[in-house]
């Protein structure tokens, strides 16, 4: 819960330091989220976190908040479940444009975590973090997939094409 509160606080600080009509440069915000989670939950001697954010993408503050919460939840899940008993490992966080010009975000680990299935007939086996990620994906109109990385798991969020540009007009950003 404290990481979620911290993520919103970091977003507000980014918005206060910008004149971009309520928009946020997503890579900068995701770096803030990753730093907060890393400082709070990992021992950098055991878990290496590698970020690759590609070209800049500017999104509305509302989208940034949802994406930041998603990345935070996925990263926390990877840290908690991928490497039991503090086994060393790596987690990659990628943000890039997909071939369809949509925004693709992946959290990939090399651990032994369990594969999640949001459509499972036994929903109680799905943790709170996965349910939160599913709700965020739904709210964003995005596709969410949990993929067996063999080893590890890939959590993939693909957001629909963003109005032909990396920037949204100020009127849309303020919604």
């Amino acid at each position: 819960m404290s990481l979620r509160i911290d993520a919103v606080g970091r977003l507000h600080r980014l918005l206060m330091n910008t004149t971009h009509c309520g928009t946020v440069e997503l890579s900068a915000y995701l770096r803030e989220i990753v730093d907060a989670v890393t400082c709070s939950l990992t021992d950098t001697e055991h878990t290496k976190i590698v970020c690759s954010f590609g070209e800049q993408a500017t999104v509305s503050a509302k989208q940034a908040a949802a994406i930041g919460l998603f990345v935070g939840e996925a990263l926390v899940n990877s840290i908690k479940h991928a490497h039991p008993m503090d086994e060393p490992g790596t987690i990659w966080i990628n943000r890039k444009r997909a071939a369809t010009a949509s925004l693709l975000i992946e959290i990939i680990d090399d651990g032994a975590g369990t594969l999640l299935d949001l459509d499972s007939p036994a929903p109680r086996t799905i943790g709170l973090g996965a349910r939160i990620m599913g709700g965020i994906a739904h709210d964003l109109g995005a596709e969410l997939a949990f993929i067996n990385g063999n080893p590890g798991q890939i959590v993939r969020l693909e957001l629909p094409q963003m109005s032909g540009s990396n920037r949204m007009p100020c009127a849309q950003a303020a919604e």
Side-chain angles (χ1 to χ4, degrees):
M1 181 59 80
S2 66
L3 288 172
R4 292 179 194 127
I5 293 167
D6 184 58
V8 173
R10 288 171 185 264
L11 175 62
H12 284 279
R13 280 192 295 282
L14 281 174
L15 287 171
M16 295 298 289
N17 295 328
T18 185
T19 58
H20 294 101
C21 305
T23 61
V24 174
E25 201 291 300
L26 190 56
S27 295
Y29 182 52
L30 291 180
R31 284 187 199 288
E32 293 271 340
I33 299 299
V34 170
D35 287 347
V37 173
T38 302
C39 290
S40 299
L41 296 177
T42 63
D43 176 356
T44 55
E45 292 181 21
H46 288 96
T47 304
K48 182 178 177 183
I49 298 179
V50 179
C51 297
S52 174
F53 294 140
E55 71 208 33
Q56 287 190 341
T58 304
V59 297
S60 72
K62 184 177 179 180
Q63 289 172 316
I67 294 167
L69 288 172
F70 178 89
V71 168
E73 289 295 335
L75 183 54
V76 166
N77 276 359
S78 285
I79 290 168
K80 285 173 48 179
H81 301 293
H83 304 105
M85 298 185 296
D86 292 328
E87 292 175 10
T90 303
I91 300 170
W92 295 267
I93 301 160
N94 302 321
R95 189 209 39 87
K96 59 188 173 188
R97 291 273 175 213
T100 60
S102 59
L103 191 61
L104 183 66
I105 298 170
E106 294 177 321
I107 296 81
I108 305 166
D109 67 62
D110 62 354
T114 57
L115 186 61
L116 299 175
D117 180 4
L118 289 178
D119 298 323
S120 168
R124 65 180 160 227
T125 62
I126 298 170
L128 177 62
R131 287 193 301 259
I132 289 171
M133 286 185 279
I136 292 168
H138 179 269
D139 289 348
L140 287 168
E143 295 291 324
L144 173 60
F146 295 96
I147 303 164
N148 185 348
N150 200 23
Q153 179 169 285
I154 301 168
V155 177
R156 179 175 293 154
L157 180 72
E158 187 169 351
L159 290 94
Q161 186 171 351
M162 299 172 56
S163 61
S165 157
N166 283 353
R167 294 187 186 265
M168 297 178 71
C170 290
Q172 283 183 316
E175 292 178 352

